Amino acid sequence: MGHWWVRNIVEPGKLPLLLALAAFLLTFVVTRVITRLIRAGKGPFGNVRAGGLHIHHVVPGVVLTVVGGFGAVASDRHGAGGAVAAVVFGMGVGLVLDEFALILHLDDVYWTEEGRKSVEVVVLTAALVGLLLAGFAPFGVNDLSAQELQDRGGALSTIALNFLFALVALSKGKARIAVFGAIVPLVALVGALRLARPGSAWSRRFYGRRPRARAKAVLRAYHHDRRWARRTRAVQDWIGGRPDPRPARLPDRR
């Protein structure tokens, strides 16, 4: 285990990336736990206010991201400074992306349906960073034998091909399959081969003059959403918390 750790993590300089990912995920989990406790009125936590202004945690997140980012640029990847900067950077990114929906909508939508975008972006970021980490810098290790070089080259080619399938699945409107498929082989291939979802870039580009394909895509999307929508929402609620119910809108009598 020690030999594998040195050759695949320490020697290629991947330790800061691993620390940043761990800090990012831990910060997100801790932040979500605290915000849910605040929402439920439990525990010693509360919203941070200054002069009547609610200070969202994206603010310290930006500060930590800036400090950690510049610290990482100025540090050696193999030194203690780089490791510390990576942890600070990961914490900052965790705080910022936890309120990604606020940045996107320029509104406090944390506990609304739109706020789910923050959870989706966090999962997507963790998946992509994990994929980058799993590459283990295929050609960044010293003294590779010919067989090791060939194995790592094959692994890199497989990852690149799988990522291409994930991009096709994403263009077909299957974001979750694309993210999961970028990590697990063949999952993205299934999404790339199946019909595109209505309204996706692939559907607009290739189904414009194929009414039967459009109708079949609509029917398949309906059955898929009917089967999986409730389970997907349950997972999202478990990770990010149940959003507030939408207020009833009165009809416009003008």
Side-chain angles (χ1 to χ4, degrees):
M1 180 64 182
H3 176 72
W4 176 91
W5 174 265
V6 171
R7 286 184 63 79
N8 293 287
I9 299 296
V10 178
E11 191 175 324
K14 289 293 186 75
L15 182 58
L17 181 62
L18 177 61
L19 293 175
L21 177 60
F24 165 64
L25 292 175
L26 182 60
T27 300
F28 170 73
V29 171
V30 171
T31 302
R32 281 283 162 169
V33 170
I34 292 176
T35 54
R36 292 172 78 164
L37 288 174
I38 294 175
R39 186 189 190 194
K42 300 178 180 179
F45 308 104
N47 292 324
V48 179
R49 298 186 178 274
L53 180 65
H54 178 196
I55 306 299
H56 292 271
H57 51 267
V58 68
V59 177
V62 170
V63 175
L64 291 175
T65 301
V66 171
V67 173
F70 280 111
V73 171
S75 303
D76 182 7
R77 289 190 304 170
H78 297 273
V84 173
V87 172
V88 174
F89 178 77
M91 294 171 60
V93 174
L95 292 173
V96 170
L97 292 189
D98 186 57
E99 292 204 303
F100 173 82
L102 181 148
I103 302 172
L104 180 64
H105 294 278
L106 293 179
D107 193 12
D108 189 1
V109 294
Y110 195 84
W111 294 118
T112 67
E113 194 71 27
E114 291 79 7
R116 292 178 181 272
K117 292 184 177 65
S118 297
V119 177
E120 294 175 356
V121 169
V122 167
V123 173
L124 175 62
T125 302
L128 293 179
V129 176
L131 179 64
L132 181 62
L133 182 65
F136 302 127
F139 302 104
V141 180
N142 296 328
D143 301 325
L144 286 176
S145 65
Q147 184 60 44
E148 286 179 320
L149 189 63
Q150 182 178 353
D151 292 342
R152 288 171 182 259
L156 183 62
S157 300
T158 301
I159 291 173
L161 184 61
N162 200 55
F163 189 70
L164 177 62
F165 291 145
L167 290 178
V168 174
L170 185 63
S171 71
K172 289 189 171 185
K174 304 174 181 180
R176 295 184 182 89
I177 290 181
V179 172
F180 188 59
I183 304 173
V184 182
L186 300 181
V187 172
L189 176 60
V190 175
L193 292 178
R194 293 175 68 85
L195 283 171
R197 290 186 65 85
S200 64
W202 187 282
S203 177
R204 294 193 300 269
R205 176 65 178 83
F206 296 104
Y207 297 169
R209 299 182 180 180
R210 299 171 58 192
R212 292 185 62 183
R214 290 201 308 271
K216 189 174 181 180
V218 170
L219 183 61
R220 178 167 292 179
Y222 168 76
H223 287 300
H224 177 275
D225 293 343
R226 187 177 180 182
R227 179 183 303 172
W228 294 102
R230 182 177 298 178
R231 300 174 185 177
T232 301
R233 290 178 65 86
V235 173
Q236 291 175 333
D237 291 345
W238 179 75
I239 296 176
R242 187 184 298 274
D244 294 329
R246 292 180 180 273
R249 297 183 61 181
L250 297 177
D252 191 353
R253 299 182 181 275
R254 290 182 298 174

